Short mmCIF file of all heavy atoms in Angstrom, two decimals:
data_model
loop_
_atom_site.label_atom_id
_atom_site.label_comp_id
_atom_site.label_asym_id
_atom_site.label_seq_id
_atom_site.Cartn_x
_atom_site.Cartn_y
_atom_site.Cartn_z
N SER A 15 -32.18 81.31 57.68
CA SER A 15 -32.65 80.26 58.58
C SER A 15 -32.86 78.93 57.87
O SER A 15 -33.46 78.04 58.42
CB SER A 15 -33.98 80.70 59.18
OG SER A 15 -34.92 80.83 58.09
N ARG A 16 -32.34 78.83 56.62
CA ARG A 16 -32.79 77.70 55.79
C ARG A 16 -32.39 76.33 56.30
O ARG A 16 -33.17 75.41 56.24
CB ARG A 16 -32.30 77.88 54.38
CG ARG A 16 -33.14 78.89 53.64
CD ARG A 16 -32.70 79.13 52.24
NE ARG A 16 -32.84 77.93 51.43
CZ ARG A 16 -32.87 77.93 50.14
NH1 ARG A 16 -32.78 79.05 49.49
NH2 ARG A 16 -32.98 76.84 49.43
N ASP A 17 -31.14 76.20 56.79
CA ASP A 17 -30.67 74.85 57.06
C ASP A 17 -30.64 74.45 58.51
O ASP A 17 -30.37 73.32 58.87
CB ASP A 17 -29.26 74.68 56.47
CG ASP A 17 -29.28 74.86 54.96
OD1 ASP A 17 -30.38 74.78 54.39
OD2 ASP A 17 -28.21 75.06 54.38
N ILE A 18 -30.89 75.40 59.42
CA ILE A 18 -30.72 75.10 60.85
C ILE A 18 -31.91 74.31 61.39
O ILE A 18 -31.75 73.44 62.21
CB ILE A 18 -30.56 76.40 61.68
CG1 ILE A 18 -29.85 77.46 60.85
CG2 ILE A 18 -29.79 76.13 62.95
CD1 ILE A 18 -30.08 78.87 61.27
N GLU A 19 -33.10 74.63 60.89
CA GLU A 19 -34.31 73.98 61.43
C GLU A 19 -34.36 72.49 61.04
O GLU A 19 -33.76 72.10 60.06
CB GLU A 19 -35.56 74.66 60.88
CG GLU A 19 -35.54 76.17 61.00
CD GLU A 19 -36.56 76.84 60.10
OE1 GLU A 19 -36.52 76.65 58.87
OE2 GLU A 19 -37.43 77.53 60.65
N PRO A 20 -35.10 71.69 61.81
CA PRO A 20 -35.20 70.28 61.44
C PRO A 20 -35.95 70.10 60.14
O PRO A 20 -36.84 70.89 59.82
CB PRO A 20 -36.03 69.66 62.61
CG PRO A 20 -36.70 70.82 63.24
CD PRO A 20 -35.85 72.02 63.03
N PRO A 21 -35.58 69.11 59.31
CA PRO A 21 -36.18 68.97 57.97
C PRO A 21 -37.63 68.59 58.00
O PRO A 21 -38.07 67.86 58.89
CB PRO A 21 -35.34 67.90 57.30
CG PRO A 21 -34.75 67.10 58.42
CD PRO A 21 -34.58 68.06 59.56
N LEU A 22 -38.38 69.09 56.99
CA LEU A 22 -39.77 68.68 56.82
C LEU A 22 -40.04 68.68 55.31
O LEU A 22 -39.84 69.66 54.63
CB LEU A 22 -40.74 69.65 57.51
CG LEU A 22 -42.23 69.41 57.27
CD1 LEU A 22 -42.68 68.05 57.76
CD2 LEU A 22 -43.09 70.48 57.98
N VAL A 23 -40.45 67.52 54.79
CA VAL A 23 -40.73 67.37 53.36
C VAL A 23 -42.15 66.86 53.18
O VAL A 23 -42.53 65.86 53.81
CB VAL A 23 -39.76 66.34 52.71
CG1 VAL A 23 -40.05 66.15 51.23
CG2 VAL A 23 -38.30 66.75 52.91
N TYR A 24 -42.96 67.56 52.37
CA TYR A 24 -44.30 67.08 52.05
C TYR A 24 -44.28 66.33 50.74
O TYR A 24 -43.73 66.83 49.75
CB TYR A 24 -45.29 68.24 51.96
CG TYR A 24 -45.95 68.51 53.30
CD1 TYR A 24 -45.39 69.39 54.22
CD2 TYR A 24 -47.13 67.85 53.65
CE1 TYR A 24 -45.98 69.60 55.46
CE2 TYR A 24 -47.73 68.07 54.89
CZ TYR A 24 -47.16 68.94 55.79
OH TYR A 24 -47.73 69.14 57.00
N ILE A 25 -44.82 65.12 50.71
CA ILE A 25 -44.72 64.24 49.55
C ILE A 25 -45.89 64.50 48.58
O ILE A 25 -47.04 64.58 48.97
CB ILE A 25 -44.71 62.77 49.99
CG1 ILE A 25 -43.37 62.54 50.69
CG2 ILE A 25 -44.88 61.82 48.84
CD1 ILE A 25 -43.31 61.28 51.46
N ASP A 26 -45.51 64.63 47.29
CA ASP A 26 -46.50 64.95 46.28
C ASP A 26 -46.78 63.79 45.31
O ASP A 26 -47.89 63.60 44.88
CB ASP A 26 -46.03 66.19 45.49
CG ASP A 26 -47.11 66.65 44.53
OD1 ASP A 26 -48.28 66.44 44.83
OD2 ASP A 26 -46.77 67.22 43.48
N GLU A 27 -45.73 63.05 44.96
CA GLU A 27 -45.92 61.90 44.05
C GLU A 27 -45.12 60.74 44.57
O GLU A 27 -44.08 60.92 45.22
CB GLU A 27 -45.40 62.24 42.62
CG GLU A 27 -46.08 63.41 41.95
CD GLU A 27 -47.47 63.11 41.40
OE1 GLU A 27 -47.85 61.92 41.42
OE2 GLU A 27 -48.16 64.05 40.98
N VAL A 28 -45.58 59.52 44.27
CA VAL A 28 -44.89 58.31 44.70
C VAL A 28 -44.66 57.42 43.48
O VAL A 28 -45.58 57.22 42.69
CB VAL A 28 -45.78 57.55 45.73
CG1 VAL A 28 -45.05 56.32 46.24
CG2 VAL A 28 -46.17 58.46 46.88
N TYR A 29 -43.46 56.91 43.30
CA TYR A 29 -43.15 56.09 42.12
C TYR A 29 -42.44 54.82 42.56
O TYR A 29 -41.83 54.76 43.63
CB TYR A 29 -42.19 56.81 41.15
CG TYR A 29 -42.56 58.22 40.80
CD1 TYR A 29 -41.93 59.29 41.44
CD2 TYR A 29 -43.50 58.49 39.81
CE1 TYR A 29 -42.27 60.61 41.11
CE2 TYR A 29 -43.83 59.78 39.48
CZ TYR A 29 -43.22 60.86 40.12
OH TYR A 29 -43.55 62.14 39.81
N ASN A 30 -42.46 53.82 41.65
CA ASN A 30 -41.59 52.67 41.82
C ASN A 30 -40.71 52.63 40.59
O ASN A 30 -41.21 52.45 39.49
CB ASN A 30 -42.43 51.40 41.93
CG ASN A 30 -41.60 50.25 42.44
OD1 ASN A 30 -40.47 50.43 42.87
ND2 ASN A 30 -42.13 49.06 42.34
N VAL A 31 -39.41 52.85 40.74
CA VAL A 31 -38.51 52.95 39.59
C VAL A 31 -37.66 51.68 39.51
O VAL A 31 -37.02 51.30 40.48
CB VAL A 31 -37.61 54.19 39.73
CG1 VAL A 31 -36.65 54.30 38.54
CG2 VAL A 31 -38.43 55.46 39.82
N THR A 32 -37.70 51.04 38.34
CA THR A 32 -36.94 49.80 38.15
C THR A 32 -35.48 50.02 38.46
O THR A 32 -34.86 50.97 37.99
CB THR A 32 -37.07 49.34 36.68
OG1 THR A 32 -38.42 49.62 36.26
CG2 THR A 32 -36.79 47.86 36.56
N GLY A 33 -34.92 49.12 39.26
CA GLY A 33 -33.51 49.18 39.60
C GLY A 33 -33.18 50.17 40.70
O GLY A 33 -32.05 50.21 41.19
N VAL A 34 -34.17 50.99 41.08
CA VAL A 34 -33.95 51.99 42.15
C VAL A 34 -34.82 51.67 43.36
O VAL A 34 -34.40 51.75 44.50
CB VAL A 34 -34.25 53.43 41.65
CG1 VAL A 34 -34.00 54.44 42.77
CG2 VAL A 34 -33.39 53.76 40.44
N GLY A 35 -36.09 51.31 43.08
CA GLY A 35 -37.03 51.03 44.15
C GLY A 35 -37.98 52.19 44.37
O GLY A 35 -38.35 52.87 43.41
N THR A 36 -38.31 52.45 45.64
CA THR A 36 -39.30 53.48 45.95
C THR A 36 -38.70 54.87 45.80
O THR A 36 -37.64 55.17 46.35
CB THR A 36 -39.83 53.29 47.38
OG1 THR A 36 -40.20 51.93 47.54
CG2 THR A 36 -41.01 54.18 47.65
N VAL A 37 -39.42 55.74 45.04
CA VAL A 37 -38.95 57.10 44.86
C VAL A 37 -40.12 58.05 45.17
O VAL A 37 -41.23 57.80 44.73
CB VAL A 37 -38.47 57.34 43.41
CG1 VAL A 37 -38.18 58.82 43.15
CG2 VAL A 37 -37.22 56.52 43.13
N VAL A 38 -39.87 59.10 45.95
CA VAL A 38 -40.96 60.09 46.21
C VAL A 38 -40.51 61.46 45.71
O VAL A 38 -39.33 61.80 45.76
CB VAL A 38 -41.32 60.17 47.72
CG1 VAL A 38 -41.89 58.87 48.21
CG2 VAL A 38 -40.13 60.56 48.58
N LEU A 39 -41.48 62.22 45.20
CA LEU A 39 -41.24 63.61 44.81
C LEU A 39 -41.83 64.46 45.91
O LEU A 39 -42.96 64.23 46.35
CB LEU A 39 -41.96 63.91 43.49
CG LEU A 39 -42.06 65.39 43.10
CD1 LEU A 39 -40.73 65.87 42.53
CD2 LEU A 39 -43.14 65.65 42.10
N GLY A 40 -41.06 65.43 46.42
CA GLY A 40 -41.60 66.24 47.52
C GLY A 40 -41.00 67.62 47.54
O GLY A 40 -39.99 67.92 46.90
N SER A 41 -41.68 68.49 48.30
CA SER A 41 -41.22 69.86 48.51
C SER A 41 -40.56 69.95 49.88
O SER A 41 -41.17 69.55 50.88
CB SER A 41 -42.41 70.82 48.54
OG SER A 41 -42.92 70.98 47.27
N VAL A 42 -39.35 70.50 49.90
CA VAL A 42 -38.69 70.69 51.20
C VAL A 42 -39.24 72.00 51.78
O VAL A 42 -39.02 73.07 51.26
CB VAL A 42 -37.15 70.78 51.03
CG1 VAL A 42 -36.49 70.85 52.39
CG2 VAL A 42 -36.66 69.60 50.23
N VAL A 43 -40.02 71.85 52.84
CA VAL A 43 -40.72 73.01 53.41
C VAL A 43 -39.79 73.75 54.38
O VAL A 43 -39.89 74.96 54.56
CB VAL A 43 -41.99 72.51 54.14
CG1 VAL A 43 -42.69 73.63 54.89
CG2 VAL A 43 -42.93 71.90 53.12
N ARG A 44 -38.89 72.99 55.01
CA ARG A 44 -37.88 73.68 55.83
C ARG A 44 -36.73 72.73 56.09
O ARG A 44 -36.81 71.53 55.81
CB ARG A 44 -38.50 74.14 57.17
CG ARG A 44 -39.04 73.04 58.01
CD ARG A 44 -38.97 73.38 59.50
NE ARG A 44 -39.19 72.14 60.21
CZ ARG A 44 -40.34 71.83 60.81
NH1 ARG A 44 -41.35 72.65 60.82
NH2 ARG A 44 -40.47 70.66 61.40
N GLY A 45 -35.62 73.31 56.60
CA GLY A 45 -34.46 72.48 56.95
C GLY A 45 -33.73 71.96 55.74
O GLY A 45 -33.88 72.46 54.61
N LYS A 46 -32.91 70.93 55.99
CA LYS A 46 -32.03 70.40 54.96
C LYS A 46 -32.05 68.87 55.03
O LYS A 46 -32.08 68.32 56.12
CB LYS A 46 -30.62 70.91 55.28
CG LYS A 46 -29.58 70.56 54.25
CD LYS A 46 -28.24 71.18 54.67
CE LYS A 46 -27.15 70.85 53.66
NZ LYS A 46 -25.87 71.43 54.06
N VAL A 47 -32.07 68.21 53.88
CA VAL A 47 -32.05 66.76 53.84
C VAL A 47 -30.79 66.31 53.13
O VAL A 47 -30.48 66.79 52.03
CB VAL A 47 -33.29 66.19 53.11
CG1 VAL A 47 -33.26 64.66 53.06
CG2 VAL A 47 -34.58 66.66 53.76
N ASN A 48 -30.04 65.39 53.75
CA ASN A 48 -28.79 64.89 53.16
C ASN A 48 -28.96 63.45 52.71
O ASN A 48 -29.80 62.72 53.26
CB ASN A 48 -27.67 64.91 54.22
CG ASN A 48 -27.43 66.32 54.72
OD1 ASN A 48 -27.14 67.21 53.95
ND2 ASN A 48 -27.59 66.54 56.03
N ILE A 49 -28.09 63.00 51.75
CA ILE A 49 -28.17 61.58 51.38
C ILE A 49 -27.66 60.75 52.57
O ILE A 49 -26.89 61.23 53.39
CB ILE A 49 -27.40 61.26 50.08
CG1 ILE A 49 -25.97 61.79 50.11
CG2 ILE A 49 -28.12 61.76 48.87
CD1 ILE A 49 -25.16 61.34 48.91
N ASN A 50 -28.16 59.52 52.63
CA ASN A 50 -27.85 58.56 53.70
C ASN A 50 -28.42 58.95 55.05
O ASN A 50 -28.12 58.33 56.06
CB ASN A 50 -26.31 58.35 53.83
CG ASN A 50 -25.76 57.65 52.62
OD1 ASN A 50 -26.43 56.79 52.05
ND2 ASN A 50 -24.60 58.07 52.15
N GLU A 51 -29.27 59.98 55.08
CA GLU A 51 -29.88 60.38 56.32
C GLU A 51 -31.10 59.49 56.61
O GLU A 51 -31.75 59.03 55.70
CB GLU A 51 -30.33 61.84 56.18
CG GLU A 51 -30.76 62.48 57.49
CD GLU A 51 -30.89 64.01 57.35
OE1 GLU A 51 -30.74 64.58 56.27
OE2 GLU A 51 -31.17 64.62 58.40
N SER A 52 -31.34 59.22 57.90
CA SER A 52 -32.55 58.45 58.25
C SER A 52 -33.66 59.41 58.67
O SER A 52 -33.44 60.31 59.45
CB SER A 52 -32.26 57.50 59.41
OG SER A 52 -31.43 56.47 58.94
N LEU A 53 -34.85 59.20 58.11
CA LEU A 53 -35.99 60.07 58.42
C LEU A 53 -37.21 59.19 58.69
O LEU A 53 -37.23 58.03 58.32
CB LEU A 53 -36.31 60.99 57.24
CG LEU A 53 -35.26 62.02 56.82
CD1 LEU A 53 -35.62 62.65 55.49
CD2 LEU A 53 -35.11 63.10 57.88
N MET A 54 -38.23 59.78 59.32
CA MET A 54 -39.49 59.08 59.53
C MET A 54 -40.45 59.50 58.43
O MET A 54 -40.50 60.68 58.06
CB MET A 54 -40.10 59.44 60.91
CG MET A 54 -39.19 59.19 62.09
SD MET A 54 -38.66 57.47 62.21
CE MET A 54 -40.14 56.71 62.88
N ILE A 55 -41.23 58.53 57.90
CA ILE A 55 -42.19 58.85 56.86
C ILE A 55 -43.57 58.37 57.29
O ILE A 55 -43.71 57.32 57.87
CB ILE A 55 -41.76 58.22 55.51
CG1 ILE A 55 -42.47 58.87 54.33
CG2 ILE A 55 -42.00 56.73 55.49
CD1 ILE A 55 -41.86 58.55 52.97
N GLY A 56 -44.60 59.21 57.03
CA GLY A 56 -45.97 58.84 57.44
C GLY A 56 -46.85 60.07 57.37
O GLY A 56 -46.49 61.05 56.72
N PRO A 57 -48.02 60.07 58.04
CA PRO A 57 -48.60 58.98 58.81
C PRO A 57 -49.43 58.03 57.91
O PRO A 57 -50.00 58.49 56.92
CB PRO A 57 -49.50 59.74 59.76
CG PRO A 57 -49.91 60.97 59.02
CD PRO A 57 -48.79 61.31 58.10
N ASN A 58 -49.51 56.75 58.32
CA ASN A 58 -50.42 55.85 57.63
C ASN A 58 -51.82 55.99 58.28
O ASN A 58 -52.01 56.87 59.13
CB ASN A 58 -49.92 54.40 57.70
CG ASN A 58 -49.80 53.90 59.15
OD1 ASN A 58 -50.30 54.54 60.10
ND2 ASN A 58 -49.13 52.79 59.33
N LYS A 59 -52.77 55.13 57.87
CA LYS A 59 -54.13 55.27 58.38
C LYS A 59 -54.22 55.24 59.91
O LYS A 59 -55.06 55.88 60.53
CB LYS A 59 -55.02 54.13 57.81
CG LYS A 59 -55.61 54.52 56.45
CD LYS A 59 -56.98 53.87 56.26
CE LYS A 59 -57.77 54.59 55.19
NZ LYS A 59 -57.88 53.86 53.92
N ALA A 60 -53.29 54.45 60.51
CA ALA A 60 -53.30 54.32 61.98
C ALA A 60 -52.52 55.47 62.64
O ALA A 60 -52.42 55.53 63.87
CB ALA A 60 -52.72 52.99 62.36
N GLY A 61 -51.97 56.37 61.81
CA GLY A 61 -51.23 57.51 62.39
C GLY A 61 -49.79 57.18 62.71
O GLY A 61 -49.15 57.92 63.43
N GLU A 62 -49.29 56.05 62.17
CA GLU A 62 -47.91 55.66 62.49
C GLU A 62 -46.92 56.11 61.40
O GLU A 62 -47.28 56.29 60.26
CB GLU A 62 -47.80 54.13 62.63
CG GLU A 62 -48.73 53.56 63.67
CD GLU A 62 -49.14 52.13 63.35
OE1 GLU A 62 -49.03 51.68 62.19
OE2 GLU A 62 -49.59 51.44 64.29
#
């Protein structure tokens, strides 16, 4: 069932890498994430 479900990644570390920009380290809890894919990231304090 690994790749059929929608992706969910929990973020553990956040970095700013010179020449690359924002980088996050995370665990893929389910589904599959591809490069060039658009995802939603959050929630911030307001829940957005």
Side-chain angles (χ1 to χ4, degrees):
S15 63
R16 283 179 64 161
D17 297 344
I18 328 156
E19 310 163 301
L22 174 61
V23 179
Y24 269 89
I25 291 167
D26 186 28
E27 300 283 352
V28 182
Y29 312 99
N30 194 10
V31 179
T32 322
V34 179
T36 310
V37 172
V38 295
L39 168 78
S41 286
V42 186
V43 174
R44 61 150 195 256
K46 184 178 181 181
V47 179
N48 301 301
I49 51 175
N50 294 323
E51 191 166 4
S52 288
L53 295 170
M54 303 303 283
I55 198 166
N58 61 12
K59 273 212 159 107
E62 301 152 341

